[in-house]
Amino acid sequence: MPAMAATHSHVGMNPNRIRPTEDIFNPNDPHIREDIIRMIMQYLADEGYNASQTTIQDESNVKWHEREDDTNETRRLKKAIIDGEWAEVDKICSKPLFKNQKSFLFAVYKQQYLEYIEHREMQKAFTFLQKRLKPLEQHQKTPIEFKDLCYLLTTKSIHDAPSFKNWEGIAQGRDRLVEQFQSMLEVENSVKDGSVYVPPNRLLNLLRQAVAYQIEVSRYHPRISPIVETLLQDFSPFVIPNATRTVMLGHRGNVKCADFVGAEGRSIISGSSDNTLRIWDTETGNCLHILEGHSSRIWDVSSNDGGTTAASASGDSTVKIWDIKGPKAQCRATLGGHSGDVYTVKYHPTSNHVVSGGYDKIVRLHDLTTGQVVKTFSGHQLAVSKVILNPIGNLIVSGSKDNTIKFWDLISGVCIKTITSHLGEVTSVAMNSNGTLLLSSSKDNSNRLWDVRMTRPLRKLKGHQNTSKNFIRAGFAHNSLLVGGSEDGLVYIWDQESGDILQKLQGHEAMVYNAVWSPKQSMFVSSSDDRTVRTWYYDGKCHDEDRCKSIVFVHHILTGLILTISIITTSSSP
């Protein structure tokens, strides 16, 4: 059945824009790498980190010229000069090395000539002077250098000529020649690079442009220029969704779970009591794929950061891994090990493993390469309702129907702490992006915020309903909001600092199981007992309460009509 998409327009998220993930430049290009190092050195120098800048410069100078030093021609030439193998030097210098090669050739021939003079091989020196040095006379360093070379044919010592009174001998002369070659090569490469000059504040200007780009392509353009407080996360506008963006219809049973796919969130995955999963386009609400294969309801879904695969936890005692990238989505693997319903599944940050839990009270770690259970975590007295991992992936947190929350060390498998403060079954746990805060939901009608490091409660969030047999779940939104479902059919948004209710989103016809925020899309997605999935966004036009109520009322009527048609169609089908 086609999805019913809201008609509200918005600014931003233009699909035709160049995405930062596209290869608009090659970061492995050695010239790009050098540019990055130069900008870092400039920034360090501007900020007064002179010692650090000098250290990087010393290290980078070596690295920048490894390209030249490692070439066979360069190494052969240097060795030939040091060893005095002049025939080899001539052979290598017959190929173009740099623009001022004739100046270098004059220096090479001059060294050979001086060695003939040193060894008193005057006839060879005379012939060499005429055939090699005379044609390159214009490349002499001083106006009298060639004249002094001729004068050496009549002197007893090289030092008798004014131009060579400081000559240090054959070995030192060859060393000087190698140094001259390296210096000329470096100058030539600097000219080729064209990147030695770094415009003032180049790194800061690039960062400002990057932030401006993030603001430009964000879903909501701020009316007042925002102040960016961190560069560790992409800019996302601070808005509180107030209206339904899209209603996604098609499931024939209640929708237990829904989540944005991958870090970008351009699609949504939902799981239902109709034993299927559906992939939806975030922007249009169109159903892209229907995933069939489970023989019981789907309780939970998760996807990897790349958005290429998804995992589903089902009442048929399995976890299925799905390939969801490309024109055809299909099941890639079925993970066993559980006895009874699997209520929860979550990808490890590396995307190489998934963690699951369920009715049998055991948390399991699955290796996606082999499909095997590689570790189990035992300790809960009743079913495990939700499992998550901290951002760095070394800690598992599980919530259970035994009213407890447990923290497990991933490597040792040991439970390192247990929270027992909830008076009812724990229905969900969630962690903020830096792993310092934990949010838990319970059938004692409360969501609680915890300091992870101290394992102490910070505040209790109330107002919603969570007392029946369903898993009502909550999570973090943006940097300062909390969002969750409720049995009264509303999506609740709380202020993280005060615990106050900021918004109640109306639209679902029955209890809301979960609500999830996407920082990239700046939207919520929610799933409900009314068989629908909804996205929520900020509608700047929906500023007056009566108008918002009218929109919600229209959605209710249309949703009711479509559901009625769906039920009639289902009951009349063979």
Side-chain angles (χ1 to χ4, degrees):
M1 184 174 293
M4 183 187 73
T7 58
H8 309 303
S9 62
H10 64 276
V11 185
M13 302 304 293
N14 187 337
N16 295 322
R17 291 185 183 276
I18 296 176
R19 300 285 174 180
T21 53
E22 294 182 14
D23 293 329
I24 54 178
F25 72 93
N26 180 10
N28 295 318
D29 185 329
H31 297 299
I32 294 292
R33 288 182 173 180
E34 290 172 16
D35 289 346
I36 293 171
I37 295 297
R38 287 189 175 107
M39 287 188 293
I40 292 173
M41 288 194 298
Q42 181 191 64
Y43 179 78
L44 291 173
D46 291 344
E47 294 298 314
Y49 295 103
N50 297 317
S52 300
Q53 190 263 352
T54 302
T55 300
I56 294 177
Q57 187 172 26
D58 290 343
E59 293 179 357
S60 61
N61 278 338
V62 173
K63 187 168 184 178
W64 287 347
H65 301 302
E66 281 179 353
R67 279 206 314 273
E68 293 79 21
D69 290 339
D70 286 342
T71 59
N72 291 331
E73 295 293 299
T74 300
R75 282 182 291 164
R76 283 173 53 207
L77 180 58
K78 289 180 179 179
K79 185 178 185 302
I81 292 173
I82 295 297
D83 295 341
E85 298 176 357
W86 301 114
E88 179 71 7
V89 172
D90 280 345
K91 181 179 178 182
I92 297 173
C93 288
S94 64
K95 303 174 184 177
L97 298 175
F98 34 68
K99 289 182 179 179
N100 295 322
Q101 189 155 328
K102 288 187 176 180
S103 296
F104 177 66
L105 280 175
F106 183 84
V108 169
Y109 295 155
K110 181 174 64 177
Q111 175 67 25
Q112 292 179 250
Y113 177 79
L114 292 175
E115 290 187 19
Y116 286 139
I117 297 294
E118 181 75 7
H119 292 133
R120 309 309 296 171
E121 298 179 78
M122 309 309 285
Q123 185 60 44
K124 286 185 179 180
F126 176 76
T127 303
F128 197 83
L129 179 71
Q130 292 296 319
K131 290 187 175 181
R132 295 296 182 92
L133 285 168
K134 178 62 177 173
L136 297 175
E137 181 180 353
Q138 69 270 28
H139 296 288
Q140 61 185 331
K141 282 188 175 180
T142 66
I144 64 170
E145 190 175 34
F146 183 77
K147 186 183 297 184
D148 282 348
L149 288 172
C150 297
Y151 176 59
L152 287 176
L153 292 171
T154 63
T155 62
K156 294 181 180 180
S157 170
I158 291 177
H159 299 97
D160 292 342
S163 297
F164 306 104
K165 61 182 178 179
N166 296 321
W167 195 61
E168 298 173 334
I170 292 176
Q172 289 83 355
R174 292 176 182 177
D175 289 339
R176 297 288 185 199
L177 188 58
V178 169
E179 290 176 5
Q180 181 182 350
F181 167 68
Q182 182 62 47
S183 176
M184 295 178 76
L185 192 64
E186 289 175 3
V187 170
E188 180 71 14
N189 284 326
S190 295
V191 173
K192 284 181 182 177
D193 287 348
S195 56
V196 174
Y197 171 72
V198 183
N201 303 314
R202 183 59 183 159
L203 181 59
L204 291 177
N205 286 335
L206 281 179
L207 291 175
R208 289 190 185 101
Q209 291 171 20
V211 172
Y213 167 83
Q214 293 170 14
I215 296 172
E216 174 66 21
V217 301
S218 64
R219 183 171 293 275
Y220 312 105
H221 284 265
R223 295 178 181 176
I224 301 174
S225 297
I227 298 175
V228 174
E229 297 179 348
T230 178
L231 294 175
L232 302 182
Q233 296 177 345
D234 287 349
F235 167 83
S236 59
F238 181 79
V239 294
I240 301 177
N242 62 358
T244 294
R245 166 68 183 167
T246 308
V247 181
M248 304 172 199
L249 297 168
H251 279 298
R252 296 177 180 273
N254 56 26
V255 187
K256 297 291 187 185
C257 51
D259 198 0
F260 290 95
V261 173
E264 292 295 320
R266 294 178 190 166
S267 57
I268 291 167
I269 183 169
S270 60
S272 169
S273 292
D274 64 9
N275 305 350
T276 70
L277 297 106
R278 288 179 181 249
I279 309 293
W280 314 84
D281 182 272
T282 300
E283 198 65 21
T284 66
N286 294 330
C287 182
L288 305 176
H289 304 290
I290 300 176
L291 308 180
E292 298 178 314
H294 281 296
S295 58
S296 185
R297 70 190 63 187
I298 289 90
W299 290 102
D300 197 16
V301 290
S302 179
S303 63
N304 65 344
D305 277 349
T308 57
T309 63
S312 56
S314 172
D316 62 11
S317 306
T318 69
V319 170
K320 288 186 180 290
I321 306 298
W322 308 84
D323 281 320
I324 56 175
K325 194 74 172 178
K328 185 177 181 181
Q330 57 189 352
C331 181
R332 189 172 82 180
T334 300
L335 309 178
H338 284 282
S339 58
D341 286 43
V342 185
Y343 293 131
T344 175
V345 65
K346 186 67 177 178
Y347 268 87
H348 189 275
T350 62
S351 299
N352 296 323
H353 297 79
V354 293
V355 181
S356 63
Y359 180 79
D360 60 10
K361 314 170 193 176
I362 307 295
V363 176
R364 288 175 168 82
L365 178 67
H366 306 262
D367 186 327
L368 294 182
T369 303
T370 64
Q372 300 300 310
V373 175
V374 293
K375 193 161 292 184
T376 58
F377 306 82
S378 303
H380 280 298
Q381 302 303 307
L382 291 173
V384 176
S385 55
K386 185 67 177 177
V387 291
I388 59 170
L389 294 110
N390 66 337
I392 62 175
N394 65 344
L395 191 68
I396 296 174
V397 184
S398 59
S400 170
K401 289 187 176 183
D402 64 9
N403 301 2
T404 70
I405 300 166
K406 289 185 180 290
F407 294 74
W408 310 86
D409 179 74
L410 186 70
I411 302 301
S412 66
V414 173
C415 178
I416 58 177
K417 64 179 75 172
T418 301
I419 295 176
T420 59
S421 301
H422 276 296
L423 301 178
E425 298 176 8
V426 177
T427 57
S428 80
V429 286
M431 194 171 280
N432 67 344
S433 59
N434 60 17
T436 58
L437 298 175
L438 181 76
L439 179 65
S440 60
S441 303
S442 169
K443 291 183 181 178
D444 60 10
N445 244 10
S446 73
N447 295 331
R448 300 191 187 206
L449 191 65
W450 307 84
D451 183 316
V452 172
R453 290 163 292 190
M454 305 297 294
T455 323
R456 64 184 179 89
L458 297 176
R459 61 193 51 87
K460 187 185 292 187
L461 312 167
K462 305 202 75 172
H464 66 299
Q465 296 176 20
N466 183 11
T467 57
S468 69
K469 62 182 180 179
N470 300 282
F471 290 137
I472 303 297
R473 291 165 172 164
F476 290 87
H478 204 266
N479 298 321
S480 58
L481 303 180
L482 304 170
V483 61
S486 175
E487 291 167 2
D488 60 11
L490 304 177
V491 174
Y492 280 75
I493 304 173
W494 293 271
D495 178 72
Q496 183 175 296
E497 288 299 317
S498 66
D500 295 336
I501 297 173
L502 298 180
Q503 188 80 274
K504 298 178 186 178
L505 302 178
Q506 303 178 33
H508 282 295
E509 294 291 336
M511 73 178 67
V512 179
Y513 294 115
N514 78 330
V516 180
W517 169 258
S518 168
K520 288 286 187 179
Q521 301 297 322
S522 294
M523 290 197 301
F524 291 122
V525 63
S526 59
S527 62
S528 171
D529 198 53
D530 64 7
R531 304 183 182 186
T532 70
V533 176
R534 284 176 182 256
T535 56
W536 307 83
Y537 80 133
Y538 175 72
D539 182 4
K541 300 176 183 177
C542 192
H543 51 79
D544 106 42
E545 190 174 342
D546 290 336
R547 185 175 180 277
C548 288
K549 287 181 178 178
S550 298
I551 292 174
V552 171
F553 180 68
V554 171
H555 274 306
H556 286 181
I557 293 175
L558 291 176
T559 301
L561 286 172
I562 294 175
L563 283 175
T564 302
I565 295 170
S566 175
I567 293 170
I568 294 172
T569 303
T570 304
S571 60
S572 61
S573 60

